[in-house]
Amino acid sequence: MPDRSDNLAELQARVAELEAERALHVRLAQTDSLTGLVNRGAFTEALSGRLAAAAADGSTLALFVIDLDRFKHLNDTLGHHAGDLLLAEVGERLRWNAGPGELVARLGGDEFAVISPAADVARRAQELVSVLGQPHDIYGRHVAPGASVGVAVFPGDAADASDLQRFADMALYRVKTRGGRRWSAFDAELRAENERRRTLEAELRRAIPAGEIEPWFQPVIDSAGGHIVGVEVLARWRHPEQGLLAPAAFVPIAEELGLIGRIDEAVFEAACALAAPWVAEGLIEHVSCNVSPRDLLDPAFSRKLIQRLARTDLPATALSVEITETFLLQDLALSRRHIERLAAKGVNIALDDFGTGYSNLRALLHLPIQTVKLDRSLIDDVAHDARVSRLVGSMLHAARALGVSIVAEGVEEQGQALFLRAAGCDRMQGYLFARPMPAPELEARLRAETAQPLPRAHPLRRRARAG
Ligand code: C2E
Ligand code: CA
Ligand code: CA
């Protein structure tokens, strides 16, 4: 029979085992399984800890954020398995290259970070760029994705972890969008940009409840008759000092700040109230509202939209909701639920900016999407570039086969309009017919029915018919 010391030894062994197991779990929870590097959660914790320590002993700390330049392309062409191998290689290289006191993390996707005590940040950034610029050997092929690096320094640039991360991200973003040198440090220019955004944020939070965001309307024309059949609602911000602002000045930041949902709601409500009588009088058939891909991440989005619609006099069948394909990359199951719920109520679903991103024709097969909006970038070249006109021609053909209607966006020239009409495009929108305008102007125009009609018979049209 075992004595007490045996029992004790056994107990100690069991405790040690449990502790090792717990340590492993902790390590796994903190580790990115693909690269073995610290993951985002553990990185965030480590950053706070190291900043506190640096603040206590008066040292500086640099945060480098790294993004691979051509990862998506390589992942698409070489396949996901090769993509994973490449990420593991990049992780390995960063770990191998790490200097004393540095912590390397994978933040997700093809994004990495290095927390570093390095004093010469320019040299370290340049070194990271050149280390990651060396080709990798993936399945016997030399693959060189290249990398961009953004860096911010504590306490010189930022006083806390969240600013430090944001500032390093801003520097990285500038590298990505400007080209040229592959690394950038947070500086006076970015600080000014940050101040502008801060001000904009405060103003936007005030502007929404103050009713400064208003709906403008751009007519959608029926290709055959040249009449206005509908309108697209486009947000404008009537800024007290800066005057009228286009969405490019505030939609991206509203998306970033999570304010876009409130903007879309405000625009939707105001637009429905204005447009319901036009529909009731038969001046237009439909009203099209834009929703951000971010809206679709709100589980209550479709339910709230249906409730809001019910409070207006606009019939569901007169409403069209425009979504961009980026939703396909986000929560597809949730997006699908929203789309199906809205479609079941009779709301028309339109796929916006078609031809720019993933142009996923399969989405048209698997989701109740009744309309596709051909992006302006395609329309731009349609009358001048035979390849684009063939492409647009076959897109129109495919859409017809799927029973989907097509709206061409950004039609500016008569030649584009004639091609599109001949190729069987149902509807058009663009400066050729009308620019976006405020409600009273649109209403006057609808009553006068002044949509510029297309010439009746035209050589282009006859030739296309004959061919
Ligand atoms: P979008 O949905 O693709 O809207 C069409 C944009 O093209 C509008 O720009 C319109 O003014 C412009 N446009 C129309 N015809 C022509 C043309 O012939 N030539 C040229 N060069 N441009 C033309 P806008 O109003 O600046 O809106 C830009 C984008 O902002 C919209 O692109 C949409 O993605 C977004 N947006 C606008 N309003 C809202 C909104 O209420 N909510 C959300 N989430 N996004 C909105
Ligand atoms: Ca749109
Ligand atoms: Ca569009």
Side-chain angles (χ1 to χ4, degrees), residues 322 352-353 373 375 409:
E322 300 193 1
D352 207 351
D353 304 337
K373 300 197 76 175
D375 192 68
E409 284 192 308

Side-chain angles (χ1 to χ4, degrees), residues 418-424 458-467:
L418 292 169
F419 169 86
L420 289 162
R421 189 175 63 182
H458 188 281
L460 256 180
R461 192 177 188 191
R462 280 202 299 274
R463 221 181 302 140
R465 281 241 170 108

Side-chain angles (χ1 to χ4, degrees), residues 232-234 288-290 322-324 352-353 373 409 429:
E232 176 174 3
V233 181
L234 295 159
S288 237
C289 286
N290 289 285
E322 300 193 1
I323 52 180
T324 57
D352 207 351
D353 304 337
K373 300 197 76 175
E409 284 192 308
Q429 187 182 340

Side-chain angles (χ1 to χ4, degrees), residues 218 232 234-236 247 264 290 292 352-353 376 410 412 430-431 436:
Q218 185 179 32
E232 176 174 3
L234 295 159
R236 294 292 181 266
D264 287 348
N290 289 285
S292 159
D352 207 351
D353 304 337
R376 190 175 82 221
E412 293 182 350
Y431 293 172

Side-chain angles (χ1 to χ4, degrees), residues 170-459:
M170 285 177 78
L172 174 64
Y173 182 75
R174 185 171 59 185
V175 177
K176 286 277 186 195
T177 47
R178 277 210 193 145
R181 197 181 68 179
R182 297 322 302 156
W183 70 273
S184 164
F186 187 76
D187 58 11
E189 181 193 316
L190 289 178
R191 185 172 300 285
E193 156 87 14
N194 183 55
E195 293 302 315
R196 266 198 304 280
R197 290 159 71 109
R198 277 282 138 109
T199 315
L200 197 66
E201 172 179 356
E203 287 177 342
L204 203 51
R205 287 189 191 279
R206 179 193 47 74
I208 302 168
E212 287 173 20
I213 312 284
E214 57 185 57
W216 279 38
F217 299 88
Q218 185 179 32
V220 177
I221 305 295
D222 152 53
S223 302
H227 309 292
I228 299 177
V229 285
V231 286
E232 176 174 3
V233 181
L234 295 159
R236 294 292 181 266
W237 179 2
R238 202 171 282 285
H239 192 284
E241 286 119 42
Q242 296 178 46
L244 200 68
L245 298 179
F250 62 93
V251 165
I253 188 159
E255 287 186 324
E256 214 181 287
L257 297 170
L259 292 172
I260 191 66
R262 286 170 54 205
I263 291 184
D264 287 348
E265 282 171 26
V267 171
F268 177 83
E269 270 178 14
C272 287
L274 288 162
W278 305 336
V279 172
E281 280 185 57
L283 293 173
I284 52 169
E285 290 164 16
H286 72 88
V287 180
S288 237
C289 286
N290 289 285
V291 303
S292 159
R294 278 204 55 140
D295 293 339
L296 296 176
L297 295 176
D298 173 3
F301 163 73
S302 45
R303 192 173 43 75
K304 287 195 294 195
L305 194 140
I306 290 166
Q307 281 172 356
R308 235 175 287 122
L309 179 63
R311 288 198 295 269
T312 74
D313 294 325
L314 192 73
T317 48
L319 177 68
S320 184
V321 167
E322 300 193 1
I323 52 180
T324 57
E325 282 172 292
T326 28
F327 79 86
L328 292 171
L329 301 176
Q330 306 199 355
D331 190 337
L332 184 55
L334 184 58
S335 304
R336 172 190 291 275
R337 233 183 307 142
H338 289 316
I339 290 170
E340 283 172 350
R341 211 184 273 160
L342 291 172
K345 285 282 169 194
V347 174
N348 180 79
I349 308 292
L351 202 52
D352 207 351
D353 304 337
F354 197 76
T356 47
Y358 305 91
S359 297
N360 200 327
L361 277 167
R362 289 175 60 83
L364 300 180
L365 284 176
H366 299 299
L367 292 168
I369 290 168
Q370 299 96 327
T371 304
V372 160
K373 300 197 76 175
L374 279 189
D375 192 68
R376 190 175 82 221
S377 56
L378 283 173
I379 306 309
D380 271 350
D381 295 329
V382 91
H384 312 291
D385 185 333
R387 279 171 46 234
V388 176
S389 49
R390 272 201 301 278
L391 177 67
V392 170
S394 43
M395 279 175 150
L396 288 166
H397 189 79
R400 264 198 308 280
L402 293 170
V404 168
S405 97
I406 299 251
V407 183
E409 284 192 308
V411 179
E412 293 182 350
E413 298 166 13
Q414 195 74 253
Q416 295 163 345
L418 292 169
F419 169 86
L420 289 162
R421 189 175 63 182
C425 176
D426 313 310
R427 292 179 172 188
M428 296 185 230
Q429 187 182 340
Y431 293 172
L432 175 66
F433 308 103
R435 290 183 178 248
M437 57 188 99
E441 201 177 308
L442 179 83
E443 186 165 340
R445 179 143 179 182
L446 288 176
R447 297 203 183 282
E449 182 53 273
T450 54
Q452 182 189 337
L454 285 172
R456 280 274 142 224
H458 188 281

